[in-house]
Amino acid sequence: MIDLAEHAHEGRPIPIKDIVQRQGISHKYIEHVMSLLTKRGLVNGFQGKGGGYKLNRDPAACIVWDILQATEISLAPVACLQASAAPCPRAQECRTLPMWNKLDALLQNFFQGITLADLMQNDLTRKKILLEKK
């Protein structure tokens, strides 16, 4: 996503082969990730000659939480908090559930407070942004 944002000024879709070359990530993996991001509406894919991918919104409006939700199976710290989890029969007496709920909320709040534009900043600025958001 950062690669797409940094090369958006070119005004054309970014071919996967260019991302693969710059990022050193396998073509198959990038295709998989782009498919997930396209399904969630975070990027637009273009087929054919001159095809590739473009961000669907401004980097300042691309929230890291949304990107992670699109690309990760689950962000829940424990299985019982996953969206697809069946209600836990022990939830009422579980002594650790409040701790896991708090961690889940902290993770969500942390990643919702970071945008793609934040991550595009230079190293010193990025470190400052991430430390402030803790």
Side-chain angles (χ1 to χ4, degrees):
M1 294 285 286
I2 294 170
D3 191 284
L4 289 177
E6 289 176 338
H7 294 90
H9 64 275
E10 297 169 10
R12 61 175 177 76
I14 310 298
I16 284 183
K17 68 177 179 62
D18 292 356
I19 300 168
V20 166
Q21 185 178 23
R22 286 190 292 262
Q23 301 302 319
I25 301 170
S26 82
H27 191 276
K28 186 174 182 176
Y29 179 72
I30 291 286
E31 280 183 336
H32 173 70
V33 170
M34 289 302 176
S35 172
L36 296 171
L37 294 169
T38 300
K39 286 178 186 170
R40 286 288 187 98
L42 296 171
V43 299
N44 288 324
F46 301 90
Q47 300 292 321
K49 185 176 179 178
Y53 293 89
K54 291 174 91 172
L55 290 179
N56 204 12
R57 55 184 95 153
D58 185 86
C62 291
I63 308 298
V64 170
W65 177 255
D66 297 336
I67 297 166
L68 291 173
Q69 281 192 306
T71 58
E72 301 299 323
I73 293 170
S74 175
L75 297 169
V78 290
C80 64
L81 294 180
Q82 292 178 357
S84 61
C88 178
R90 298 197 46 208
Q92 293 297 327
E93 64 261 4
C94 181
R95 293 187 198 187
T96 61
L97 185 57
M99 173 187 67
W100 295 122
N101 277 323
K102 184 168 182 166
L103 178 59
D104 193 39
L106 287 168
L107 286 170
Q108 185 172 343
N109 288 335
F110 176 75
F111 288 122
Q112 284 180 340
I114 302 171
T115 68
L116 201 53
D118 293 333
L119 298 177
M120 291 171 66
Q121 303 300 313
N122 67 43
D123 269 351
L124 281 175
T125 305
R126 183 172 55 243
K127 286 177 185 174
K128 182 179 180 223
I129 289 167
L130 293 177
L131 287 173
E132 287 174 353
K133 295 190 187 261
K134 285 185 178 178

